[in-house]
Amino acid sequence: MLRHLARLTAGAGSLVVAFALSASAAPLPGPGTAAQVAKLVATANRIEVLPNNLVPSLPQAGNDDAVAYYPVTEPGCTSRTQCVFGDLHGTHTVVLFGDSHALMWLTSFVPIAVKYRFRLVLLWKASCPATDVSVWDPVANSISRSCNSYRTAEEGLIHKLNPSLVLLASRNTDITGAGNKPISAPTWRAGLEATITAVRTRTTRVAVVGDIIPFNAVLPDCLAANPSHVQLCSVTNPNPKVTNHFSDDLAAAKAARVPYVNPQRWLCTSVCSPVIGNMISYYNNQHVSATYAAFLSGVWATALRPLLPR
């Protein structure tokens, strides 16, 4: 059930952001400074007892995703007009392209689009990375043809949008391909390079958004079971229980000579804590909470500013 529809305007300009807040959505925090983020992350592994002012609250935490704040993004965004944020009539466009690991950064990136007056177009499909690899569909028990079709279609759509910047953001942990077997490092690297080549033009820059460390348990459930032993829910960085393509993303970005932005520094030290400051960091085991993503908007803005249209 929707609580209200909010619109932000800037003077006589055309800066408009429309979004619907669900009745259960907690207020989002403002962006933290680089110093604040660094301090909270550095001390997060000392937190053993859930803060009294925990945000979101445990009952709300499992639903603290971007969809709660931007319902238009469910169950996916595949057109040029469905999921557009920021300055809707801006002269520049930035595309955020990938799977749910693109969607999860929306509460970080929308404030940036508002501040710097560009259109932000989200293109995402669940379990379909932007990386040009064939992934396994456990329901169909076969390679996901729909993911391959989605990727090809969105690459064509991106060319029609002619964006100034494309941000590629995808999950790269525990991804399987043919026969439900892990995708090899060379295949992943080649696939990401292929996507970069497919969307980059003389007028469109590309950057790779690094992926995050997954937890071994759904955080709200684990925290509810261990309110006085929070670190029982933490994981080491990297998590040895999952396969990943972190280094392959970086290698592909270097080979293609495009920027790579690694958000892990804003989430983990040698340990990833389920609570950072008074915020639950993930809303499940694989996705940053909308609350914490909003808090990271400032450091994301600093990291992306050199790449953003001016």
Side-chain angles (χ1 to χ4, degrees):
M1 181 176 182
L2 300 184
R3 184 168 64 197
H4 65 272
L5 183 70
R7 301 178 71 84
L8 305 180
T9 60
S14 57
L15 179 62
V16 180
V17 183
F19 57 94
L21 300 181
S22 73
S24 60
L28 289 172
T33 66
Q36 288 170 332
V37 172
K39 181 177 179 179
L40 292 184
V41 172
T43 57
N45 62 358
R46 303 176 199 168
I47 298 172
E48 287 293 350
V49 178
L50 285 180
N52 291 329
N53 60 341
L54 185 69
V55 289
S57 66
L58 277 180
Q60 294 176 318
N63 295 315
D64 189 41
D65 62 356
V67 172
Y69 296 89
Y70 305 104
V72 69
T73 61
E74 189 177 28
C77 301
T78 58
S79 78
R80 288 190 287 178
T81 58
Q82 179 184 349
C83 302
V84 185
F85 309 94
D87 188 342
L88 306 188
H89 303 289
T91 56
H92 294 284
T93 298
V94 173
V95 172
L96 177 58
F97 176 35
D99 54 19
S100 60
H101 285 218
L103 171 68
M104 73 181 181
W105 291 120
L106 202 55
T107 56
S108 286
F109 292 172
V110 169
I112 301 172
V114 171
K115 180 176 181 178
Y116 293 111
R117 303 180 67 88
F118 61 82
R119 285 177 297 169
L120 176 66
V121 179
L122 171 66
L123 300 174
W124 84 279
K125 182 178 173 66
S127 302
C128 294
T131 303
D132 189 2
V133 293
S134 293
V135 297
W136 188 254
D137 181 345
V139 176
N141 201 34
S142 65
I143 285 295
S144 175
R145 295 181 180 178
S146 66
C147 279
N148 290 339
S149 298
Y150 154 76
R151 190 181 305 111
T152 299
E154 300 313 283
E155 288 171 352
L157 187 152
I158 288 170
H159 280 285
K160 292 179 181 178
L161 285 169
N162 189 29
S164 299
L165 174 67
V166 178
L167 299 170
L168 303 177
S170 302
R171 174 183 168 186
N172 70 25
T173 58
D174 281 347
I175 303 293
T176 58
N180 200 23
K181 296 180 180 179
I183 296 173
S184 71
T187 297
W188 187 273
R189 288 196 299 269
L192 183 52
E193 289 182 52
T195 299
I196 293 169
T197 299
V199 299
R200 181 169 54 183
T201 69
R202 287 189 306 106
T203 56
T204 298
R205 301 181 71 181
V206 179
V208 175
V209 173
D211 198 18
I212 59 173
I213 305 293
F215 284 78
N216 296 324
V218 175
L219 289 195
D221 296 344
C222 186
L223 291 172
N226 300 281
S228 299
H229 302 282
V230 164
Q231 295 308 314
L232 290 178
C233 304
S234 67
V235 294
T236 58
N237 176 20
N239 184 343
K241 293 187 177 182
V242 298
T243 59
N244 70 74
H245 293 285
F246 300 142
S247 61
D248 301 321
D249 277 355
L250 177 59
K254 285 184 175 180
R257 297 183 179 180
V258 300
Y260 172 84
V261 184
N262 185 0
Q264 290 180 17
R265 54 189 157 154
W266 305 321
L267 294 154
C268 309
T269 55
S270 59
V271 172
C272 301
S273 174
V275 177
I276 301 175
N278 67 328
M279 294 166 283
I280 297 179
S281 56
Y282 287 31
Y283 70 84
N284 57 14
N285 68 318
Q286 278 279 356
H287 299 86
V288 177
S289 69
T291 294
Y292 193 66
F295 180 70
L296 295 181
S297 183
V299 290
W300 267 117
T302 300
L304 295 177
R305 184 61 180 134
L307 311 176
L308 294 175
R310 298 174 184 266

